[in-house]
Amino acid sequence: MPPQGAPAPAARAADTTRENPWPLRRLSENIKIYVDKMSTLWVEGQVVEYKPRPGTRMAFFVLRDIETDMSMTVSTYPGVLDAAGPAFEEGARVVTRVKPVFWERRGTLNLRADEVHLQGIGDLLAHIEQLRRRLAAEGLFADERKVPLPFLPRVVGLVCGRNAKAKDDVIVNASARWPAVRFEIREVAVQGEHAVREVSAAMAELDAIDEVDVIVVARGGGSVEDLLPFSEEVLVRAAAAVRTPLVSAIGHEGDAPLLDLVADYRASTPTDAARRIVPDRAQELQGLDHAMSQARAALGRRLGREAEALTLLASRPVLTHPDAVVEGHRNLLTTLEMQLRQGVSAVVSRHSRELATAQATLTALSPQATLDRGYSLLRLPSGEVIRSSEQLSKGVLIEGILAQGRMVAQVVGSTPATPKQPPAS
């Protein structure tokens, strides 16, 4: 009942005024009355979100209009969907017999289905499959185009939704693994009509920053409808044009937007992306300690082997008695020297004897010996030796060679030689 003196509530919506409005519940009640009067009808649409929940009394899926971006939740009994067949899944195009239902307290309009019939593969997924094949034929998804992610990026570029959980998943998990990691973040629309333009622009902007060594596009799953922008040709080609290594962390394990195929690495979740883009500091330190231990052990083994080899070398006779190597040569040299001395002495003695004999013979035959016995040698001024008196004439000067010294004399006379008597017969 309205307070005393207050105007009665308007009977019709057209009778409400600023001074006499309806309570919100009255509007909700009237909408419900109107909706309840609507008859059952057939509608067509595409299933964009459906998660089977075995054991529940009711099943829910989201039906999207074929041409416009408009959707509505549909509830039904699980048996109705079972009757539709195993092909009922996200992306399927269906015709369903529904009754509109308005929930007063929540102010939402849903549909309750009592029949569901499949109409083939959904147009959107068919379009995406056609696009996938075309881009694959161009080589955009080829493994040869993919580049490895850096071991430790200087800066991580992050494209994510505004205040999205995916952003926290990447930052928190990456920072836990490598506390010094730095981020360059671009918060953009990750679903709806602006998503393609904003995500493409964010990737290009981060790609132009020199310090950004890897780019992560993160969303963290959603319905097929929510992920449609990441299968748009414009966005996929923009991702293919990025030179910086690209990580796609859009869906969950079962989702497969085309961005996953063109990215250099496809992460199953934003958390998986965080684990992939930076190393685990604790694990790397542990690995470093292990490597140092192995290096020390290897160095110790090498030094041990070298010490054993050195000990073995030092114990060899050539090092314990170094002169043993030259001792034999020294003895040989001594022997050879002795033989050489003996040989030289024998040769010198033999030649000395021969020289003495030759000297004695020479002395005996030498004119000097004759001179030493008191004889002298006479020569004409021309140097000719005087052998006969016939060579002399009176007054000629002659030179006399004595055993010691020389003399000059003048011939005052000469006696002819006496003829030799023939021997007696």
Side-chain angles (χ1 to χ4, degrees):
M1 293 293 293
Q4 191 170 358
R12 300 180 307 168
D15 296 333
T16 60
T17 63
R18 180 178 179 183
E19 291 75 18
N20 189 18
W22 270 358
L24 185 59
R25 66 180 179 278
R26 180 71 177 274
L27 173 61
S28 182
E29 291 169 357
N30 286 335
I31 293 176
K32 178 173 175 55
I33 292 172
Y34 178 79
V35 172
D36 287 344
K37 291 179 181 180
M38 293 181 66
S39 62
T40 302
L41 69 155
W42 290 91
V43 295
E44 180 185 24
Q46 185 173 28
V47 179
V48 293
E49 184 174 352
Y50 171 60
K51 303 297 181 186
R53 294 179 175 84
T56 58
R57 294 182 57 189
M58 297 296 292
F60 298 88
F61 63 92
V62 176
L63 195 64
R64 182 184 184 274
D65 187 78
I66 300 300
E67 297 181 357
T68 62
D69 188 10
M70 176 264 175
S71 59
M72 191 172 294
T73 301
V74 182
S75 62
T76 187
Y77 294 106
V80 174
L81 300 183
D82 293 340
F88 181 87
E89 58 184 5
E90 292 182 351
R93 186 169 178 174
V94 298
V95 171
T96 177
R97 187 171 181 267
V98 298
K99 175 71 172 66
V101 177
F102 185 77
W103 297 93
E104 296 178 63
R105 291 186 178 276
R106 291 187 300 223
T108 58
L109 180 65
N110 294 340
L111 302 176
R112 180 167 294 172
D114 54 18
E115 288 185 51
V116 176
H117 300 277
L118 294 171
Q119 295 295 308
I121 300 176
D123 291 344
L124 286 175
L125 293 187
H127 172 73
I128 292 174
E129 177 61 19
Q130 183 180 11
L131 177 62
R132 184 193 68 79
R133 293 177 182 176
R134 179 158 56 85
L135 296 181
E138 293 181 20
L140 259 66
F141 306 148
D143 292 338
E144 293 77 11
R145 294 188 71 260
K146 301 185 185 302
V147 296
L149 303 185
F151 172 73
L152 182 59
R154 291 171 294 175
V155 176
V156 176
L158 177 59
V159 181
C160 59
R162 296 177 177 87
N163 300 318
K165 183 177 182 298
K167 169 187 172 182
D168 295 334
D169 287 344
V170 174
I171 294 176
V172 171
N173 286 281
S175 299
R177 291 171 61 83
W178 196 269
V181 62
R182 293 189 295 151
F183 286 92
E184 187 71 26
I185 302 172
R186 297 294 182 272
E187 294 185 349
V188 297
V190 291
Q191 67 182 65
E193 59 180 342
H194 301 296
V196 172
R197 175 174 53 81
E198 294 187 12
V199 172
S200 300
M203 288 191 298
E205 184 178 344
L206 292 173
D207 187 41
I209 300 176
D210 181 64
E211 288 190 338
V212 173
D213 292 330
V214 64
I215 298 174
V216 179
V217 181
R219 188 186 188 283
S223 66
V224 173
E225 182 181 18
D226 293 337
L227 299 181
L228 287 179
F230 299 98
S231 293
E232 290 286 346
E233 182 174 0
V234 173
L235 190 145
V236 174
R237 290 192 181 277
V242 170
R243 297 168 299 172
T244 306
L246 182 66
V247 176
S248 173
I250 298 304
H252 293 302
E253 195 66 39
D255 300 324
L258 297 186
L259 181 64
D260 285 353
L261 302 180
V262 76
D264 298 301
Y265 179 79
R266 188 256 183 194
S268 58
T269 62
T271 300
D272 178 43
R275 295 193 186 103
R276 185 65 182 83
I277 58 176
V278 293
D280 187 341
R281 182 175 181 272
Q283 184 177 350
E284 294 301 323
L285 289 176
Q286 182 179 359
L288 184 60
D289 290 341
H290 180 65
M292 291 180 64
S293 298
Q294 288 185 320
R296 291 193 184 98
L299 183 59
R301 290 192 297 270
R302 179 63 181 270
L303 290 176
R305 289 196 301 269
E306 296 300 328
E308 292 177 0
L310 187 59
T311 301
L312 182 62
L313 287 173
S315 63
R316 290 183 179 181
V318 68
L319 293 179
T320 55
H321 302 288
D323 55 348
V325 178
V326 298
E327 187 64 30
H329 297 289
R330 183 185 292 117
N331 294 335
L332 178 61
L333 286 175
T334 301
T335 302
L336 292 175
E337 182 182 6
M338 184 181 301
Q339 292 176 350
L340 181 60
R341 289 182 181 277
Q342 291 175 351
V344 170
S345 178
V347 170
V348 170
S349 297
R350 184 175 70 252
H351 286 290
S352 295
R353 290 193 298 273
E354 292 175 354
L355 181 61
T357 302
Q359 184 178 7
T361 302
L362 182 61
T363 301
L365 297 175
S366 173
Q368 183 66 39
T370 302
L371 295 175
D372 289 341
R373 289 197 301 272
Y375 293 95
S376 62
L377 181 64
L378 301 177
R379 292 190 306 185
L380 294 173
S382 63
E384 181 182 0
V385 177
I386 300 173
R387 292 182 175 85
S388 171
S389 60
E390 295 178 356
Q391 296 176 262
L392 303 173
S393 60
K394 184 178 179 180
V396 175
L397 296 176
I398 61 175
E399 179 186 15
I401 300 173
L402 308 176
Q404 295 181 1
R406 296 169 184 264
M407 50 136 331
V408 176
Q410 188 175 25
V411 177
V412 295
S414 63
T415 301
T418 304
K420 294 182 179 181
Q421 294 294 328
S425 55

